[in-house]
Amino acid sequence: MSTRGKVKLGLIGVGGMGSSHLKYLSQMENVEVTAICDVVKEKADKAAALYHSQAYYNHTELFEKSGIEAVLIAVPHYDHTPISIAAFNKGIHVLCEKPIAVHVNDAKKTIAAYELAKELQPNLMFGIMFQERTYPLHRKIKDILDGGELGKLIRATWINTKWFRSQLYFDSGEWRATWAGEGGGILTNQCPHNLDLYQWLFGMPARINGFAHIGKYHDIEVEDEVTAYFEHENGMVGHFIVTTAETPGSNRMEIVGEYGKLIFEDEKIVFYRTRESMLRFIKESQSRMGNVENWYTEIPVHVNASSGHKVVTDKFIEAILNGGGELVAHGPEGINGLTIANAILLSSFNDQTIKLPIDADEYEKKLEELIRSSKYEKTVNKDAAMDISYSKG
């Protein structure tokens, strides 16, 4: 626990997201950004000078010399695992950008290192940057489902194609949209938030069928269009449709239960509430085709409530200062959405239904094979600026 009411924090990765984090971190009264780290010396030096901090050029030196209590990790995906593990080994609190890892085996290694470190430091915090859980509309959907308003859930369909990316976006970094550099496409980069929200709202599927199209619209070697079908143990089915190639895109979620239908679209939630259980009506109705009477209701939502990255970080810092507490998303929860992503791709690669838990070794071997056999030649436009406006996709 910090003795001065401020947590000494280091940031690793001064790219688009790291720079965005620094803007609000510098305004937080209970945080002191004492160290900024990036493997590109010029980036680290420039950010450190701007925020009156100390520059470091590798995470090992940062953890050994800076005296930080906590770290925010905002680096390319594969590096999340070794950096998180190194931090836990030093007893440093970790807030990691999504995803927790590229594949399930690496996520397991990260979680194991955290659990081991907690044996020596029970109040060690591990958070993951799932800021979309804080968005008022998402929280309202969660509240309605947790309250049982829909009864038994029947179907959840999420079409989220508001992820349009041009070729210039993918050409903006050497690591982007490659198996070796990023570990995947839309499922690994844009959709960890969506997959986390899916499991947060509905729980984990039991069986997954995935259809992932590789470089269908862009000159990339990873997936840019995905359709997936989920089956849950309770009988609910799910559909997940995403792409980086549609404009204008859609963001529409339909949730159907025995007591009606919830539709989330255009920043609005509509509840078509039925007067009785649809499941009971099916069995008892004297009409061959008549529908259950239902009422249209627009659900009021306090859309101006605080949300976003800073809310996640606030909770993380408060938990450190208080010696424990609830986070927006605890780090180990990150394995759930990642499991779904890996299962979708494995299903597509193997053309078969994947039963959870996934065979993590099989997926890791497939990923290694894709990296080893890759003949993709990456075009890089170093003048392309990183645009993080997608954060609320």
Side-chain angles (χ1 to χ4, degrees):
M1 183 174 174
S2 177
T3 56
R4 297 184 298 116
K6 281 193 175 187
V7 172
K8 292 182 178 179
L9 183 135
L11 178 128
I12 306 179
V14 193
M17 284 313 309
S19 299
S20 178
H21 289 308
L22 282 170
K23 290 176 184 177
Y24 69 78
L25 284 168
S26 64
Q27 304 298 316
M28 292 176 63
E29 295 182 355
N30 54 4
V31 171
E32 184 180 356
V33 181
T34 57
I36 295 175
C37 178
D38 198 287
V39 292
V40 179
K41 185 177 185 297
E42 293 77 12
K43 283 186 176 182
D45 288 343
K46 183 177 179 180
L50 184 62
Y51 292 99
H52 310 291
S53 186
Q54 179 66 44
Y56 294 85
Y57 315 115
N58 68 76
H59 69 270
T60 302
E61 184 181 23
L62 172 76
F63 294 153
E64 289 179 352
K65 297 182 178 180
S66 67
I68 60 171
E69 301 164 87
V71 63
L72 200 167
I73 300 170
V75 297
H77 306 145
Y78 279 107
D79 293 333
H80 290 187
T81 301
I83 294 176
S84 295
I85 291 173
F88 293 137
N89 290 343
K90 290 289 186 179
I92 295 170
H93 306 280
V94 170
L95 178 57
C96 186
E97 262 294 347
K98 55 80 183 169
I100 184 176
V102 171
H103 56 80
V104 168
N105 273 344
D106 270 0
K108 288 179 177 178
K109 291 175 186 175
T110 301
I111 294 168
Y114 173 56
E115 295 298 337
L116 185 63
K118 279 211 309 182
E119 292 180 11
L120 297 175
Q121 193 175 333
N123 294 330
L124 190 67
M125 303 308 299
F126 176 23
I128 190 161
M129 190 61 76
F130 284 139
Q131 77 276 1
E132 292 208 9
R133 290 192 188 187
T134 71
Y135 295 174
L137 289 153
H138 295 161
R139 290 171 61 186
K140 179 59 74 172
I141 294 169
K142 173 74 168 170
D143 181 49
I144 292 170
L145 295 179
D146 287 351
E149 298 290 331
L150 283 168
K152 178 180 172 61
L153 296 183
I154 307 300
R155 172 177 65 85
T157 299
W158 197 355
I159 302 170
N160 194 340
T161 60
K162 282 193 173 182
W163 291 119
F164 180 77
R165 295 291 183 273
S166 68
Q167 187 64 42
L168 184 65
Y169 170 86
F170 293 111
D171 294 346
S172 67
E174 293 181 7
W175 62 284
R176 290 193 177 282
T178 62
W179 294 116
E182 192 162 19
I186 188 169
L187 293 175
T188 302
N189 187 320
Q190 285 80 27
C191 288
H193 290 300
N194 303 132
L195 293 172
D196 173 66
L197 287 173
Y198 185 94
Q199 67 84 31
W200 186 56
L201 294 171
F202 310 114
M204 291 292 284
R207 288 166 294 280
I208 292 177
N209 281 280
F211 306 89
H213 295 276
I214 307 298
K216 185 175 180 180
Y217 300 102
H218 304 87
D219 179 20
I220 56 178
E221 66 173 352
V222 294
E223 77 283 358
D224 59 2
E225 181 181 75
V226 172
T227 299
Y229 170 72
F230 307 140
E231 293 180 353
H232 293 252
E233 287 291 358
N234 63 1
M236 189 192 98
V237 298
H239 312 94
F240 188 71
I241 301 166
V242 294
T243 181
T244 49
E246 289 185 16
T247 180
S250 299
N251 184 8
R252 177 183 175 92
M253 182 188 291
E254 291 187 9
I255 308 169
V256 180
E258 65 174 308
Y259 287 103
K261 175 174 64 176
L262 207 64
I263 294 180
F264 167 46
E265 189 173 26
D266 297 330
E267 301 295 298
K268 183 171 67 175
I269 301 171
V270 174
F271 188 7
Y272 295 86
R273 176 67 182 263
T274 59
R275 291 196 69 179
E276 61 177 293
S277 164
M278 171 268 289
L279 297 174
R280 186 170 66 246
F281 186 81
I282 286 173
K283 295 178 180 179
E284 299 177 359
S285 174
Q286 298 303 303
S287 170
R288 286 188 292 176
M289 291 180 289
N291 284 299
V292 184
E293 182 181 343
N294 64 87
W295 303 320
Y296 174 100
T297 306
E298 290 189 22
I299 303 297
V301 180
H302 179 32
V303 294
N304 294 322
S306 297
S307 65
H309 298 95
K310 184 176 182 296
V311 173
V312 177
T313 306
D314 276 335
K315 283 280 190 183
F316 175 70
I317 296 299
E318 287 172 13
I320 294 171
L321 291 170
N322 294 331
E326 279 303 308
L327 303 178
V328 169
H330 290 271
E333 296 176 52
I335 198 171
N336 293 334
L338 179 63
T339 296
I340 298 174
N342 286 182
I344 291 171
L345 284 178
L346 190 59
S347 171
S348 186
F349 293 144
N350 294 351
D351 192 20
Q352 69 180 69
T353 300
I354 300 297
K355 295 182 179 179
L356 299 190
I358 188 176
D359 185 336
D361 291 338
E362 181 184 7
Y363 184 78
E364 184 177 9
K365 287 176 184 175
K366 180 63 182 177
L367 189 56
E368 290 171 351
E369 177 190 318
L370 289 165
I371 294 169
R372 192 170 54 250
S373 63
S374 173
K375 293 180 173 59
Y376 176 67
E377 295 185 9
K378 176 76 176 178
T379 299
V380 180
N381 184 334
K382 294 187 176 179
D383 295 327
M386 173 62 179
D387 176 13
I388 64 162
S389 60
Y390 66 81
S391 292
K392 281 200 174 188

